Amino acid sequence: EDQVTQSPEALRLQEGESSSLNCSYTVSGLRGLFWYRQDPGKGPEFLFTLYSAGEEKEKERLKATLTKKESFLHITAPKPEDSATYLCAVGTGNQFYFGTGTSLTVIP
Amino acid sequence: NAGVTQTPKFQVLKTGQSMTLQCAQDMNHNSMYWYRQDPGMGLRLIYYSASEGTTDKGEVPNGYNVSRLNKREFSLRLESAAPSQTSVYFCASSTEAKGQPQHFGDGTRLSIL
């Protein structure tokens, strides 16, 4: 059964304290893995697409990496404005599955 | 740049009432989607439309109907609302056929009493 699991569910960081969010998946025939950011009361905002193991993408303080079983979203020296829920999703065949997200709070 | 616009933003219904959620995009995208988001669950696809006049069921279509009125607009209708349909509904669009939803609206928060 295709499945996407994100951990942790919630993460509190001090400003400047780097960490990583995890997205593990079990799907047949990965077409791509996608990261989104969702602010309270808003729709998800697309961040990255990763297509193959070993691929990395960066945007400001965020870096996404992909292995054959999981993806990490590394957050370097986070700021309070990075506080949001981060969603990952995988595309396989004609299906697209979202994880439940990691709620990140960065404390000044 | 409006992107994807959803109306209304909030709605409260009584069980058995009907309503239509509206969605419009101004990016000339072919594909449009309706998702629902519930606590502790990932976004789940209700219906998908690859182009004007075509729609396909997603993971949770029961209790819903959709209309792709034209390339810009994709509406979601609840014919007889049930408390289990209390959720946040998101419309999205993309350039690819049933690919990754690229742009989301800000959602409609629907409560059914």
Side-chain angles (χ1 to χ4, degrees):
Chain A
E1 178 182 341
D2 295 336
Q3 196 166 10
V4 181
T5 303
Q6 291 189 247
S7 62
E9 288 187 13
L11 182 63
R12 290 171 64 89
L13 299 173
Q14 292 291 329
E15 184 172 1
E17 179 186 2
S18 301
S19 188
S20 296
L21 283 55
N22 178 265
C23 173
S24 63
Y25 61 92
T26 53
V27 297
S28 54
L30 181 73
R31 284 195 296 111
L33 186 139
F34 309 90
W35 283 98
Y36 296 81
R37 169 190 171 127
Q38 186 174 21
D39 293 302
K42 300 291 186 181
E45 174 189 351
F46 169 69
L47 292 173
F48 303 111
T49 305
L50 302 167
Y51 292 107
S52 58
E55 190 174 358
E56 298 182 353
K57 293 278 181 69
E58 287 190 63
K59 180 179 181 180
E60 296 181 357
R61 294 175 292 282
L62 301 176
K63 183 170 80 172
T65 62
L66 181 64
T67 72
K68 288 186 177 180
K69 293 185 177 181
E70 59 192 347
S71 177
F72 292 95
L73 185 65
H74 306 278
I75 302 175
T76 302
K79 297 182 178 181
E81 54 261 42
D82 295 322
S83 297
T85 296
Y86 291 86
L87 306 175
C88 79
V90 296
T92 170
N94 282 326
Q95 302 300 318
F96 197 81
Y97 301 100
F98 279 89
T100 54
T102 293
S103 176
L104 174 66
T105 302
V106 181
I107 303 162
Chain B
N1 290 334
V4 178
T5 303
Q6 292 184 236
T7 56
K9 295 187 185 303
F10 302 92
Q11 185 70 48
V12 178
L13 293 178
K14 294 181 179 179
T15 298
Q17 287 185 317
S18 62
M19 81 162 294
T20 300
L21 280 62
Q22 307 287 352
C23 174
Q25 53 94 6
D26 62 2
M27 295 167 287
N28 203 36
H29 286 170
N30 288 318
S31 296
M32 296 186 74
Y33 313 76
W34 275 106
Y35 284 90
R36 61 178 289 173
Q37 188 174 40
D38 301 292
M41 305 190 74
L43 284 154
R44 292 182 292 168
L45 183 65
I46 305 171
Y47 269 95
Y48 158 75
S49 171
S51 62
E52 180 182 349
T54 67
T55 61
D56 287 307
K57 293 179 180 180
E59 183 183 355
V60 288
N62 292 343
Y64 305 96
N65 287 302
V66 290
S67 295
R68 183 73 182 270
L69 306 170
N70 47 55
K71 193 169 187 178
R72 290 187 64 249
E73 299 173 288
F74 189 35
S75 62
L76 178 72
R77 182 162 179 83
L78 287 70
E79 291 291 351
S80 179
S84 61
Q85 294 177 304
T86 293
S87 187
V88 182
Y89 291 85
F90 288 101
C91 177
S93 69
S94 69
T95 52
E96 297 180 22
K98 204 169 188 182
Q100 161 218 354
Q102 294 167 320
H103 297 274
F104 283 82
D106 284 339
T108 294
R109 283 142 189 84
L110 182 60
S111 293
I112 299 165
L113 307 177

